Amino acid sequence: MPRYSPFMLFRTQPKALPTAAENEESGFQLMVQYQAFNKQLPLMYCILLCNTWILSCNHLESAPHWLTLYIPLLLSLVCLSRLGFWFKTRHQALTPALVQRRMRQTNLLAAPVTLAFAGWAIMLFNYGDTSTRYHIAGYLALTMLCSLLCLMHIRVAAIIVTVIANLSFVILIFTSEQGQSSVLLITINIVIVLSGMMLMLYFYYRDFVQLIQSHIQAETLSRENFALANLDSLTQLPNRRKFFHDLERHCADNSSQQQRFALGILDLDGFKPVNDLYGHGTGDKLLYAVSRRLENICAEQASVARMGGDEFAIIITANMDEAALMDFCTQIGKTLRNPYAINNHMVHISASIGLAIYPDMAQNAHDLYEFADYALYHGKRNTRCDVTLFSSDHRKLIVRDANIEQALRRAVLEQELSVFFQPIIALSSERTVAFEALARWHSSELGIVSPAVFIPIAEQAGLISDITLALLAKALQVARSWPEDIRLAFNLSAHDISTRRVVERIMLMLQQSGVDPQRVEFEITETAGLQDLAQIKWCSEQLRQMGCGITLDDFGTGFSSFRQLHELPLTKIKIDRCFIRDIHSNPLSRKIVQSLMTLSCDMQIQCVLEGVENADELQCIQSMGAELAQGYYFSQPVPEVMSHSLLAKQADASSSENTIQTPENHLGTVDITFKQRG
Ligand code: C2E
Ligand code: MG
Ligand code: MG
């Protein structure tokens, strides 16, 4: 804390140039000082005027008119013009520069005004009698005291007034006649009081400055805290907290006028692989570069915030219809797709955006955010469009999902859930080597609901682990009845495999089931849910140590990360069926599948091709050297009893080499030993 002395006022050469913060601080201090003084100014001039005229009246008889009327009139005019100026400018917005100018003017005025009033009073001293001289001494003392108090926030002016007042009294002492010792004594008293007041003023001023400075520090600190709490430190964009605050404010502002604005939630595609391949330093720089591009393109039309990870939110306030909005967002997508040169790498990413419009689609901030987020999620999962506008279809899906979630919560899982089994075929021996357990839910309220629908809902609602455990118990019971060489493939949600408690229960269940853990392989779907890779790694290692296999399911569906391949203790990958569909007629699919198979071969792990639906696809993958396959061409998922009959027929077939038909499923009759099909 700096120490203050009156001499600081006369210091003209600062030791070092002040920083911007110091300048701001001193500007603020001057402002507070000036405001405190400005409040007192009219009072000071009023008291001065009243006292002057009272003193003048007391001398009307004894002093000439020029001294009792004309000079006071002139002084009054000066005071009134100053008061008029105050009145005119009292509401004027203050800036540090203006305040500085006004303070300088006040300091400049202090000397002539004080000299004029004090000089006038001293001139009156030679007229009148002892009592009027007491009056003059009292006038000078009280008026100066009052001015001093009013000027206490402007130290230079206060010092000028005090010095002139004290000098006036010295003059009075010298001009007073002998025998007027009481006037002399009063004068000395007053000088002592004024000097004491001056000292008190100095202390007061010092405390006042300290108070202002601690106020400034507190203000600076709270401003910094505010910035920290509202700014994302990596990208320098507003953060999630600030975004929700702004969104609420926009909705509140626009609710009265029902003005439209749109919310876009933007998610980067391909950001994770960049992080994995080039490291977090490059990932951070990429996020920073993306933020700058977003800021540039949004300019006046929209404001952008970082929600966390690779997700951003854009509030589009410019007046646009739906087509213009879609164009604007498509433009954003295009801008972000341009390559980034970071740390000597050319990095490529893209972006998906979910859009919702206020108030057309949602009437409050919460719904608007949910809908934009839903549009993004839905677009990513289903349509794979860059920009997805929330629609009435999405609204229906939300209602459907909510109904399913409610039904799931009320369901008696053990009764309503069942497991179907789909064979996995070894193409070389043409035999079923495993069955994948697939969940089936016959809801008492909703009827049959596909696992592709209810599993993601259960994951989001936090209900998945109960479902997993109920299904695993059933699947293990069936697997126990199969021959020892038939394996069980069981799907685990990312939520299951990243929760220690669930994995421990799975392991316990396995131990108690009587099924050799070596016969069980867990399929993890590589969804966006595989976030906590360290936890997933730990859990899958536990399962591996028991002897279970770990398969990465739906491989290549867009959420793939080579880091997952590298870090997880995988025993298999399952290539997604979207690459198998029409593989015989689609060279690109063939190339992708070929390279994924090579990859698995290099990693010395097995590879399953799922979704084989016809002979052409089978022939194609066989020619490529595929070893394991699964799909409707071999069999649809079947209930437990049919898994037994499939296996029984397979056993018969291997002994008789006859063509054996699987039981009917809803696709029709499917051969299990397909070699005779030609
Ligand atoms: P998935 O694990 O990839 O399972 C394969 C899905 O593809 C199954 O759908 C299966 O019926 C279907 N499928 C198999 N062959 C073909 C084919 O040739 N053509 C076509 N078009 N489809 C084929 P399903 O049973 O509807 O399951 C969908 C998804 O739900 C599963 O995909 C899996 O991700 C999830 N799921 C199913 N059961 C469970 C479960 O018990 N736990 C968990 N966490 N997820 C499960
Ligand atoms: Mg699976
Ligand atoms: Mg799959």
Side-chain angles (χ1 to χ4, degrees), residues 53 63 77 90-91 133 155 194 255 277 329 396 419 502-503 510 570 598 600 668:
W53 281 108
L77 276 178
R90 69 195 194 286
H91 295 312
R133 283 177 185 155
R155 200 161 39 163
L194 279 180
S255 65
L277 277 176
C329 290
K396 279 181 205 147
V419 189
V502 179
V503 171
L510 256 175
L570 297 177
T598 314
S600 73

Side-chain angles (χ1 to χ4, degrees), residues 50-61:
C50 293
N51 285 357
T52 302
W53 281 108
I54 292 168
L55 185 66
S56 160
C57 289
N58 204 13
H59 285 81
L60 269 180
E61 307 269 296

Side-chain angles (χ1 to χ4, degrees), residues 352-353 374-385 388 394:
S352 307
I353 303 176
Y374 190 88
L376 168 72
Y377 167 84
H378 197 265
K380 262 188 175 250
R381 288 232 144 210
N382 303 299
T383 53
R384 301 249 160 161
C385 288
T388 313
H394 292 136

Side-chain angles (χ1 to χ4, degrees), residues 551-569:
T551 306
L552 198 53
D553 202 355
D554 302 342
F555 190 68
T557 44
F559 299 108
S560 357
S561 155
F562 287 105
R563 188 158 159 226
Q564 289 160 15
L565 273 187
H566 178 66
E567 295 215 353
L568 297 179

